[in-house]
Amino acid sequence: MSEELKVPTMADFMAEGKSPEVLFWVGCSGSFDDRAKKITKAFVRLLNKAGVDFAVLGQEESCTGDPAKRAGNEFLFQMQAMMNIEVLNAYEVKKIVTACPHCFNTIKNEYPGLGGKYEVVHHTQFLKSLLDDGRLSIEGGSFKGKKIVFHDPCYLGRANNIYEAPRELIRKLDAELVEMKRSRANGLCCGAGGAQMFKDAEPGNKEINIERAEEALSEEPKIIAAACPFCNTMLTDGVKNKEKEGEVKVMDVAELIASASEL
């Protein structure tokens, strides 16, 4: 399907003397992780369908510096951030959308102090705005009546207080949205935040992602919905650990909508 995808770069727009409606910040996970690439493609299909004039930085995009900062390397974070801000400001970027809550949180809350001030939205918020404006429509389709449990990403929920956008999108699928015992402000981390994604487990008797996957599976869903590529990885591993991957899928909200619309 990738040949159908239209993904212009900021350099393309610049060459034509135009600027896009929004910059899509893909993020390291969405660019390099094979599973997360599917989320990126699903979101791009939705942007194309809605006729959104968007662009990516392509080769000019670098890591936001989130893992470096969370792991305690402030110097590396500032170097990475300054490089990105220089590129973004050179293109006079105003609005950024990203499917990664870590990129979202870093660019929204930490870049302004270094000279990078932009309007930053998470892809679930952006998709909701496209629906509200009538630029995108959702069919319940294959998810009608299916039990979907939603896991709140820490950097979307507790860090930025965004709880409703992803849930409203799931409800639009005519699915049965189920809440875990620990959800919203009391949600449990998937185990990947704070740069834990990139280091070995700490001593203990259970991995956090196993604990969270058990909690999700106890609701007997058909689908565990996530809105973060890191959460997706951790929950997928948790479901595999319980040998339930044949029965329960872990999907990003954008993938749910793209699948329902048969994109």
Side-chain angles (χ1 to χ4, degrees):
M1 272 200 161
S2 55
E3 65 280 357
E4 298 163 26
L5 299 182
K6 293 200 295 288
V7 189
T9 63
M10 283 301 292
D12 295 336
F13 270 89
M14 196 70 142
E16 290 180 28
K18 296 193 301 194
S19 57
E21 177 183 339
V22 67
L23 170 79
F24 172 30
W25 185 277
V26 184
C28 301
S29 190
S31 301
F32 300 114
D33 179 82
D34 285 341
R35 175 65 188 88
K37 282 181 197 172
K38 292 178 181 170
I39 300 170
T40 304
K41 287 178 180 172
F43 184 54
V44 167
R45 282 191 203 104
L46 291 167
L47 292 175
N48 284 166
K49 187 188 179 194
V52 176
D53 232 5
F54 76 98
V56 297
L57 284 175
Q59 298 287 336
E60 294 182 275
E61 183 184 301
S62 173
C63 177
T64 59
D66 166 81
K69 188 177 180 77
R70 307 296 159 224
N73 193 336
E74 182 66 22
F75 177 67
L76 177 58
F77 160 71
Q78 292 206 10
M79 273 175 41
Q80 289 181 304
M82 298 296 279
M83 272 170 38
N84 286 323
I85 289 167
E86 211 167 280
V87 172
L88 291 167
N89 288 353
Y91 281 126
E92 297 179 356
V93 170
K94 304 281 187 291
K95 186 172 184 178
I96 298 173
V97 62
T98 179
C100 175
H102 296 257
C103 298
F104 168 77
N105 178 67
T106 304
I107 299 172
K108 179 176 185 283
N109 299 321
E110 283 153 3
Y111 276 24
L114 298 167
K117 296 181 172 69
Y118 320 101
E119 180 191 348
V120 191
V121 292
H122 185 249
H123 75 317
T124 55
Q125 293 176 297
F126 195 68
L127 289 171
K128 183 183 173 308
S129 72
L130 292 176
L131 279 166
D132 292 345
D133 296 344
R135 295 172 69 181
L136 197 61
S137 58
I138 298 184
E139 309 299 321
S142 50
F143 301 107
K144 201 177 174 78
K146 283 197 176 157
K147 195 185 269 192
I148 299 179
V149 68
F150 179 67
H151 161 80
D152 284 290
C154 296
Y155 282 94
L156 190 65
R158 285 184 305 212
N160 287 288
N161 232 7
I162 297 166
Y163 299 110
E164 294 312 320
R167 286 175 169 80
E168 284 188 34
L169 292 171
I170 294 168
R171 286 193 198 99
K172 287 261 198 310
L173 298 168
D174 296 333
E176 183 194 342
L177 176 62
V178 195
E179 295 288 355
M180 278 188 257
K181 287 179 179 64
R182 285 178 282 192
S183 67
R184 295 182 184 261
N186 296 318
L188 179 70
C189 177
C190 70
Q196 298 291 329
M197 182 86 171
F198 308 105
K199 57 188 274 299
D200 292 331
E202 313 245 342
N205 56 14
K206 190 193 281 186
E207 296 270 11
I208 293 175
N209 67 318
I210 305 296
E211 170 84 10
R212 191 55 165 163
E214 285 172 355
E215 202 171 324
L217 292 169
S218 72
E219 302 295 340
E220 300 184 340
K222 281 282 174 226
I223 293 156
I224 300 171
C228 168
F230 291 128
C231 296
N232 198 303
T233 300
M234 300 304 269
L235 292 167
T236 300
D237 288 351
V239 169
K240 281 181 182 160
N241 179 271
K242 295 291 163 194
E243 298 181 348
K244 293 279 188 189
E245 66 268 36
E247 303 149 51
V248 182
K249 281 185 180 169
V250 180
M251 292 177 79
D252 188 86
V253 175
E255 292 179 303
L256 292 172
I257 297 168
S259 303
S261 307
E262 294 182 355
L263 292 179

